Amino acid sequence: MDFWQNKRIWVVGASSGIGEGLIGWLVSSKARVLISARRDEKLREIQTRFSKDSVRLLKIDVEDHQSLEQKGEEAWSIFGGFDVVFLNAGMSVRDLVSDTQVMVEKRIMNINFWGPVILTKTLLKLKQPNDALHLVVTSSLSGKYGVPKLAAYAASKHALHGYFDSLRAETAQTNLKIHLVIPGFVKTAITVAGFRGDGTPNGKMQNALEKGMDPEVCAKYILVGVAKGKEEFVVGGSERFTVILNRLFPGWNRALIRSNPLQRLAKIKRFFGFQ
Ligand SMILES: NC(=O)c1ccc[n+]([C@@H]2O[C@H](COP(=O)([O-])OP(=O)(O)OC[C@H]3O[C@@H](n4cnc5c(N)ncnc54)[C@H](OP(=O)(O)O)[C@@H]3O)[C@@H](O)[C@H]2O)c1
């Protein structure tokens, strides 16, 4: 993984799951990594696994928009800039639209969409014209199509595509590179930590994620995709084919989603011998 050697990296959303999975690979590739999230006790525990020179820590809450410019500047000063920034922090809400409060939907947009956008604007101010910078934005299958009980989450991830595709087009002739990563089902606590429609913690892991990809394996595929210069790519099990299905036959994908998609997906997987 030569691409990562000596790179200065910021992982926002590094305290668990996919973000945490990235750290070990990056350090073993001799990158220096700044890790950020809200739970600093979790970040400190992660930091103890590595040398203090290779992994630094900065607590951040991407929902606290007032603080983000200053946090971005503080982060930038730690290694004197970044080569790659992973905008990976995210929260889910899992409930019917009719049972979800607008306040909770706004929180999801604030964390998943406005957090990465505000941090990006700060980074672009700090970046000098000669600095090369890769932004790696974590989207989702729900960033490509909507599914029941994930309306606000899907909206926030769709918004990331619209925003970062536009920014990529605006900066095509520059050394800013934007990668949109679409993980499939990854075995993390995203739905445990996430909200119900009333804003209380969901507290349970979604079945599909329970059987999903190991977050470290997912992290490795992400690093390979970025190193190869992929602008948008899907990482996951056979569920990743729904993105192709949606692109080629959107009507079929919509029909699939309406008719209990996970049960159907399990049937399709069995048909093709995936499980
Ligand atoms: N797991 C999947 O199947 C899957 C599929 C598609 C996309 N994704 C996306 O992958 C990304 C990582 O999620 P994950 O699955 O690895 O779940 P996770 O283990 O719950 O990780 C979420 C990360 O985001 C951080 N975070 C949440 N709210 C934050 C805030 N307000 N400020 C700063 N950091 C915050 C969390 O740290 P703190 O709680 O310490 O702040 C944690 O480090 C998310 O963007 C998620 O939408 C996941």
Side-chain angles (χ1 to χ4, degrees):
M1 284 209 190
D2 278 347
F3 174 87
W4 300 99
Q5 199 169 355
N6 300 323
K7 292 280 193 295
R8 300 158 302 169
I9 316 281
W10 189 15
V11 182
V12 183
S15 58
S16 57
I18 299 168
E20 180 180 2
L22 290 166
I23 303 164
W25 295 118
L26 289 167
V27 172
S28 64
S29 303
K30 302 203 166 27
R32 284 178 293 160
V33 191
L34 174 65
I35 58 173
S36 292
R38 292 167 303 174
R39 288 171 293 168
D40 58 345
E41 71 290 350
K42 205 50 231 302
L43 295 173
R44 269 200 293 273
E45 184 273 311
I46 293 170
Q47 199 184 28
T48 58
R49 299 178 212 155
F50 307 99
S51 86
K52 279 241 161 73
D53 285 342
S54 52
V55 177
R56 305 285 296 273
L57 183 164
L58 180 70
K59 186 179 173 177
I60 194 170
D61 180 354
V62 298
E63 197 178 359
D64 180 6
H65 295 165
Q66 304 292 335
S67 70
L68 289 186
E69 188 165 347
Q70 187 238 317
K71 286 285 180 181
E73 286 167 4
E74 207 178 325
W76 190 267
S77 69
I78 289 176
F79 299 136
F82 293 114
D83 302 292
V84 186
V85 175
F86 289 88
L87 297 165
N88 174 69
M91 273 293 250
S92 69
V93 56
R94 197 170 163 72
D95 227 327
L96 295 172
V97 166
S98 52
D99 293 335
T100 306
Q101 295 172 10
V102 173
M103 176 268 292
V104 177
E105 297 181 322
K106 284 186 176 170
R107 285 196 70 185
I108 293 297
M109 289 304 289
N110 284 339
I111 296 164
N112 294 0
F113 176 68
W114 287 111
V117 165
I118 296 169
L119 282 176
T120 296
K121 284 177 176 289
T122 303
L123 293 168
L124 294 184
K125 269 191 220 156
L126 294 163
K127 176 185 172 312
Q128 298 301 308
N130 288 334
D131 295 337
L133 177 65
H134 293 254
L135 296 179
V136 187
V137 182
T138 311
S139 174
S140 164
L141 295 176
S142 312
K144 300 306 273 183
Y145 52 80
V147 292
K149 294 195 172 182
L150 286 178
Y153 180 77
S156 70
K157 296 296 187 180
H158 272 70
L160 288 175
H161 284 267
Y163 195 93
F164 284 95
D165 280 347
S166 303
L167 177 61
R168 190 196 289 116
E170 280 178 19
T171 56
Q173 308 310 325
T174 73
N175 46 17
L176 178 72
K177 303 292 169 214
I178 292 172
H179 311 265
L180 277 150
V181 180
I182 303 169
F185 301 141
V186 186
K187 192 174 179 182
T188 72
I190 181 99
T191 53
V192 182
F195 302 125
R196 288 202 201 102
D198 61 3
T200 57
N202 185 42
K204 53 181 183 222
M205 193 183 281
Q206 199 188 328
N207 281 345
L209 301 200
E210 185 79 60
K211 297 180 195 137
M213 181 178 260
D214 180 278
E216 282 198 24
V217 176
C218 174
K220 176 131 195 212
Y221 279 119
I222 292 174
L223 296 179
V224 170
V226 173
K228 283 185 175 167
K230 292 188 179 178
E231 293 186 342
E232 180 177 309
F233 57 101
V234 190
V235 176
S238 52
E239 69 281 3
R240 69 189 188 281
F241 295 115
T242 58
V243 174
I244 299 170
L245 181 66
N246 189 57
R247 191 181 307 145
L248 299 179
F249 305 105
W252 287 10
N253 199 44
R254 281 197 291 271
L256 177 78
I257 288 160
R258 281 186 209 126
S259 57
N260 203 338
L262 294 177
Q263 248 176 36
R264 291 272 166 140
L265 194 60
K267 270 192 198 161
I268 293 170
K269 276 177 159 181
R270 276 197 297 276
F271 181 79
F272 286 107
F274 281 111
Q275 62 179 31

